[in-house]
Amino acid sequence: MSSRNMTLLIGLALVVFIASNALYVIKETERGVLLRFGEVVNPDIKPGLHVKIPFVNNVRKFDGRVLTVDSQPERFFTQEKKALIVDSYAKFQVADTAKFYTATNGEEARAAGLLAQRINDGLRNQVAVRTVQEVVSGERDQLMEDITTELNEVALKELGVQVVDVRVKKIDLPPDVSESVYRRMNAEREKEARELRSQGQELAEGIRAAADREVTVISANAYKESEQIRGQGDAEATRIYADAFNQDPEFYSFTRSLKAYQESFSGQGDVLLLQPDSEFFRYLKDPQGGK
């Protein structure tokens, strides 16, 4: 290989090396800053192909999409001095690349750690001025809105990031408090169950007493009606007997005597002690009965 070809080859390699170090691309999903010996000279490089001076300029690229920081569950105290375990996360996006670079050295993990600390501080302040009821359900949406607004101002000023949203994933009671709350809730449910059973028994006793009273009334009315019917029947029978007796008193007396004989002599071992001239033997001695 001649010296001329060698020179061309070396020159071409040098051009490729310089071009590769002088040209850079910023994607649509990225944000970047241009540095000159470590000093920021262009804090917001637009997406596209750009040129820099090799060995003089340096480019730092950051993710320009909405990122997530997941904070560790922390214990906070409410207005009533009751402890709550709050698990939260936040969505943020790089807004001021220069501030973000100077505050975090362009490290996403460091930014997430700093932001997580500020989230916990903001939650601690917000929870401290609210009751358990307000934190859990009453003002939960308002709490997240307030912490988002407050945290966005601090994060934009100190870290150069915009907080898009802060959300509370879960709110729990500490294990020791959860056990006491469970026991109290269980006692309240048992008390309510006893009250309901007592009310049910009282209602059952009332229904049973009303049913017994109604049975007594119905039985009394039925007995009264049956006695009235029986009395009417007895009166009718007496009237019929009286009419028959009045039509033929002697025949009535004769049939009554025959019935008395039948009932008296039906038993084989019966013994009667009577006077021979007793009226009982009237029709035995004289079938005409004295006629």
Side-chain angles (χ1 to χ4, degrees), residues 122-139:
L123 283 173
R124 183 176 292 104
N125 296 333
Q126 293 294 331
V127 171
V129 297
R130 289 176 171 84
T131 63
V132 173
Q133 175 66 24
E134 292 173 346
V135 172
V136 173
S137 60
E139 296 184 4

Side-chain angles (χ1 to χ4, degrees), residues 100-118:
F100 179 76
Y101 173 74
T102 56
T104 65
N105 197 29
E107 299 176 4
E108 183 180 323
R110 184 177 179 183
L114 295 173
L115 192 58
Q117 295 178 3
R118 284 157 178 77

Side-chain angles (χ1 to χ4, degrees), residues 1-20:
M1 181 180 294
S2 63
S3 60
R4 180 180 179 183
N5 292 336
M6 180 63 69
T7 303
L8 289 176
L9 185 60
I10 294 174
L12 181 60
L14 184 61
V15 170
V16 172
F17 176 76
I18 294 174
S20 63

